[in-house]
Amino acid sequence: MVALSGCGAAETGKSGGSDEVTITVPSWVGAQANAEVAKVILEEELDVKKVNLKTMDEPIAWDALNNGEADAILEDWDGQPEKQKLYIDQKKSVVKGGDLGVTGHIGWFIPKYYADKHPEAKTWEGLNKLAKDFKSSESGDKGEFLGAAPSYTTYDEYLIKNHNLDFKVKETGNEAAQIKEIQQKYKNKQPFITYWWEPQWLNSDVDLVEVKLPEYKEGCNEPKEKTECGYANTPLQKYFNKDFAKDGGDAAQFLKNFKWTTEQQNVVAKWIAKDKMSGEEAAKKWVKENKDVWQAWLPKK
């Protein structure tokens, strides 16, 4: 993940625009794709002198928006309900920035080659009867469940506990480590079950099948310790520091207009994560090849 040191929130020029913009970047590569593309267009098309990309987890990013250390979050998955109530409703220091255009979905997934042999594993009840197939040297007498990075929104520990499932969560640490483990198991045709999501570039390389969890209903994961339901489909959102949204000129308007598809994000993410391009290289390549898309995001003159 690219992290550039910077000078905090937007510095406002005489024209009311921003000379410097700070965008927070969560730890997953899809979010990096958003930020890198925005950076290239802001600097090359809107003459922003410097765009700082700061890597930080979502809760910290919300605090940074509130105190002016950051100007924008371009991909928020769960809205941080407590932070949203405090900063949007009460302090009014953060404002909504609109849809990113990408719908996020989290779930439990198994490889298709295993699902084809064991179709009963496509539901959580059936999966539990096959837990022994997922045992590892680290999971003892339980099935191994590949968990996500600690900073991600997860209810897996509680789903397993509250449904008496015979699985143990293995912490993978971060997205890169989780992907590496999935790729290795997939290559060896091993059974595995993992917390997984869309958008995600790896989905074009591995054929996974979602395990049906109890249907998500509003409030079914509150408090999270009592969660028994699956994950919601989440239209991913942007949020801005209030002063930046008001005084950030063309830069702020551009980020409000920034809206692309899951497929477009996945292309840039794949170039970064799989093809080992730098974030800047991937963004510049996409910007060069998709002028008709991003021109619609530019503020109208």
Side-chain angles (χ1 to χ4, degrees):
M1 188 65 68
V2 175
L4 304 178
S5 60
C7 304
E11 294 181 1
T12 304
K14 294 179 181 179
S15 64
S18 294
D19 291 331
E20 186 168 344
V21 176
T22 298
I23 298 173
T24 69
V25 186
S27 61
W28 53 91
V29 70
Q32 184 188 0
N34 305 324
E36 296 284 3
V37 168
K39 173 180 167 69
V40 167
I41 297 172
L42 284 167
E43 291 183 342
E44 297 188 355
E45 301 296 328
L46 295 174
D47 298 323
V48 175
K49 291 180 181 178
K50 186 175 184 181
V51 177
N52 306 300
L53 305 187
K54 289 190 173 182
T55 302
M56 56 183 74
D57 293 337
E58 287 177 287
I60 299 172
W62 274 80
D63 295 337
L65 285 193
N66 166 67
N67 62 31
E69 292 181 3
D71 299 308
I73 294 172
L74 298 185
E75 181 173 316
D76 185 276
W77 278 69
D78 64 3
Q80 296 292 315
E82 293 181 1
K83 304 273 188 184
Q84 191 168 140
K85 183 177 180 180
L86 176 60
Y87 296 145
I88 293 181
D89 300 337
Q90 297 177 16
K91 297 185 69 174
K92 302 187 186 305
S93 57
V94 177
V95 298
K96 295 179 180 179
D99 288 350
L100 174 65
V102 176
T103 296
H105 176 67
I106 298 168
W108 289 7
F109 288 82
I110 57 177
K112 186 175 184 297
Y113 55 75
Y114 184 82
D116 286 346
K117 291 182 178 180
H118 304 279
E120 65 272 31
K122 291 187 282 187
T123 69
W124 63 270
E125 300 99 328
L127 179 74
N128 198 42
K129 297 175 182 177
L130 297 164
K132 65 180 186 302
D133 289 354
F134 299 86
K135 287 182 181 179
S136 74
S137 59
E138 299 177 41
S139 65
D141 59 353
K142 296 181 179 295
E144 179 180 89
F145 182 97
L146 295 180
S151 62
Y152 290 11
T153 298
T154 64
Y155 307 114
D156 305 323
E157 176 187 348
Y158 307 114
L159 279 166
I160 289 170
K161 179 180 178 181
N162 295 334
H163 287 294
N164 297 312
L165 303 184
D166 202 19
F167 283 86
K168 179 181 180 181
V169 176
K170 175 183 178 179
E171 295 184 2
T172 51
N174 55 57
E175 181 187 53
Q178 186 179 1
I179 287 174
K180 184 177 181 180
E181 187 139 5
I182 288 172
Q183 288 174 320
Q184 188 61 49
K185 289 181 181 295
Y186 195 87
K187 180 181 179 180
N188 295 333
K189 290 290 190 283
Q190 294 175 255
F192 66 88
I193 178 169
T194 187
Y195 167 105
W196 200 238
W197 62 92
E198 174 68 30
Q200 165 57 244
W201 65 268
L202 187 65
N203 292 337
S204 63
D205 287 353
V206 297
D207 198 350
L208 304 180
V209 174
E210 186 167 7
V211 175
K212 187 175 180 181
L213 294 169
E215 183 180 359
Y216 173 86
K217 294 180 181 178
E218 190 70 31
C220 67
N221 52 8
E222 298 174 6
K224 63 182 181 180
E225 291 80 7
K226 294 188 178 181
T227 297
E228 295 183 359
C229 63
Y231 294 85
N233 289 317
T234 307
L236 305 184
Q237 301 296 306
K238 298 172 291 184
Y239 293 91
F240 302 141
N241 168 272
K242 179 193 70 174
D243 293 335
F244 171 71
K246 179 183 176 183
D247 302 324
D250 285 351
Q253 189 58 53
F254 163 73
L255 292 179
K256 291 173 186 176
N257 296 344
F258 187 115
K259 190 173 184 178
W260 63 352
T261 66
T262 296
E263 292 73 24
Q264 288 163 343
Q265 187 192 85
N266 278 342
V267 165
V268 180
K270 179 178 177 293
W271 288 340
I272 296 170
K274 184 180 180 182
D275 299 339
K276 305 304 180 185
M277 296 176 67
S278 71
E280 182 180 11
E281 289 173 333
K284 285 185 174 181
K285 175 177 170 63
W286 188 88
V287 167
K288 182 178 180 181
E289 296 176 359
N290 293 274
K291 189 173 182 179
D292 59 324
V293 177
W294 58 260
Q295 277 194 324
W297 305 341
L298 300 178
K300 304 301 181 187
K301 299 296 185 182

